[in-house]
């Protein structure tokens, strides 16, 4: 078997179940998968015949991060609407989106968002947006894996689609990407307050038919809880549970406002919660009960949400907040451990994608989605524990190299497949029109 790549001399943080760390180690990769992982000395034979050898000295090698909730193309609207609570904020955002978005601008925005994510070490993203085919096109151009699919939204929405259009395009999406290893097809209704029960069930039926994923916003604000309670007589999570929408293929973004019974429902059904601490803080939504969810056995993954509520797509910030915010809020220093936080950004994200068998950790047989982080930096020394460094002091600009399926998609902090300047120039050209939407 030809060895395509060996990375050696790195500090390997595998993020496996045992939280294995190898102080001087690396991996060998063939056909996009990890064929060997261990001490550098044990990799010498593979390195001797490898097509490509990367010296990882001065770097941490770890699995690529998995962003479990994003709207990459919304990066076009970064900083446009500020300091409003979710509901009036959404009205302004939808006005701006309606004026600007079409397949071309969605593609441009997705390129912008995915470039930022990939450069910062995110190798897979769950992304909900109006033109999912364009989302996939952009992800493939930069070289990132993506979970997306037909969006459901009662009324015309930004794309002006009818319900029949939405059903047809959701079906077509599954047919287009059946069997793809870089796309995890899903249906993505916007939320229980914007999509009625019948259409939620329709979205679910489509994804069930194809064995896909299901993701929606849920229990983000108190106002949303009151809205859903008023319409359907039960809280958001109970409502979704009554409709039989919760299981291990479902990811719910936010889940900020939950009672104990709702947490128990999420644990019982195996639903993944995507925790988006930056978005929840900035939109004044609240602080999710993550320590209680973890204690109850809920699977918690991590997300950035869109850059209009962020204002960037920084999984390292999300990671640091996941490990610090709940300590402050609960006044318990053990509220969320570094290993729990790192697990949210890696293994739990892989589970949310239905890909725990091939993503989320560096292990023999898994896909070679991996990143190298420069630790020859003043904020990285001394480094007594690499996991502590990753969670509490790594910045996205520390990410030097990124591999997806063994292919190097970021080299020395530069995208290899895509010319970033083209995207930046196109966004600059569009910016005056975007600004005019709220003028
Ligand atoms: Zn969102």
């Amino acid at each position: 078997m030809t060895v395509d790549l060996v990375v050696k001399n790195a500090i390997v943080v595998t993020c496996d179940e045992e939280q294995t760390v190898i102080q001087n180690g690396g991996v060998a990769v063939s056909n996009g998968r990890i064929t060997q992982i261990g001490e550098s000395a044990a990799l010498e034979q593979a390195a001797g015949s490898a097509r490509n050898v990367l010296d990882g000295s001065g770097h941490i090698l770890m699995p690529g991060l998995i962003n479990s909730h994003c709207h990459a193309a919304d990066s076009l609207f970064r900083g446009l609407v500020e300091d409003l609570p979710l509901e009036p904020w959404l009205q302004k955002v939808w006005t701006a989106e309606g004026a600007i978005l079409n397949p071309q601008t969605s593609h441009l925005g997705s390129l912008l968002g995915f470039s930022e994510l990939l450069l910062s070490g995110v190798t897979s993203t769950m992304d909900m947006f109006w033109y999912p085919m364009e989302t996939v096109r952009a992800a493939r151009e930069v070289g990132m894996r993506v979970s997306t699919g037909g969006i459901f939204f009662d009324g015309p929405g930004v794309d002006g689609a009818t319900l029949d259009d939405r059903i047809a395009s959701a079906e077509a999406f599954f047919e287009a990407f059946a069997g793809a290893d870089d796309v995890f097809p899903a249906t993505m209704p916007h939320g229980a307050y914007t999509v009625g029960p019948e259409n939620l069930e329709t979205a679910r039926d489509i994804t069930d038919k194809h064995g896909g994923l299901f993701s929606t916003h849920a229990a983000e604000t108190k106002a949303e809880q009151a809205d859903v309670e008023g319409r359907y007589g039960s809280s958001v999570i109970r409502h979704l549970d009554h409709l039989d929408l919760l299981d291990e293929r479902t990811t719910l973004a936010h889940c900020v406002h939950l009672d104990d019974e709702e947490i128990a429902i999420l644990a019982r059904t195996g639903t993944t919660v995507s925790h988006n601490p930056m978005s929840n803080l900035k939109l004044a939504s609240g602080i999710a009960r993550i320590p209680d969810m973890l204690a109850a056995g809920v699977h918690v993954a991590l997300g950035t949400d869109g850059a209009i509520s962020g204002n960037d797509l920084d999984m390292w910030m999300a990671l640091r907040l996941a490990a610090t915010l709940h300590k402050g809020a609960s006044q318990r220093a053990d509220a969320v451990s570094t290993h729990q936080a790192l697990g949210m950004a890696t293994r739990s994200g892989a589970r949310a994608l239905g890909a725990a068998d091939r993503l989320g950790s560096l292990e023999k047989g898994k896909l070679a989605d991996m990143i190298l982080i420069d630790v020859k930096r003043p904020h990285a020394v001394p480094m007594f524990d690499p996991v502590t460094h990753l969670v509490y002091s790594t910045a996205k600009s520390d990410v030097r190299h990124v591999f997806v399926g063994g292919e190097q998609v970021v080299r020395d902090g530069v995208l290899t497949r895509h010319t970033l300047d083209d995207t930046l120039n196109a966004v600059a050209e569009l910016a005056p029109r975007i600004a005019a939407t709220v003028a």
Side-chain angles (χ1 to χ4, degrees), residues 69-71 74 89 128 190 216-217 220 253-254 276 279 304-306 309:
H69 184 66
C70 191
H71 316 276
D74 265 339
W89 176 85
M128 177 195 290
H190 177 266
T216 189
H217 296 104
E220 184 173 0
H254 304 303
N276 294 256
S279 170
T304 58
D305 211 350
S309 54

Side-chain angles (χ1 to χ4, degrees), residues 5-49:
L5 169 70
V6 167
V7 182
K8 58 178 187 171
N9 303 328
I11 302 163
V12 185
V13 177
T14 64
C15 297
D16 65 6
E17 289 289 349
E18 293 75 36
Q19 301 158 3
T20 307
V21 172
I22 305 166
Q23 286 299 335
N24 181 349
V27 296
V29 176
S30 291
N31 294 322
R33 289 189 184 259
I34 297 168
T35 52
Q36 194 183 343
I37 179 163
E39 303 282 343
S40 293
L43 289 159
E44 282 307 328
Q45 194 184 350
S49 65

Side-chain angles (χ1 to χ4, degrees), residues 284-307:
S285 301
I287 297 176
R289 295 174 57 191
I290 298 301
D292 295 335
M293 291 188 217
L294 292 172
V298 177
H299 294 278
V300 180
L302 205 54
T304 58
D305 211 350

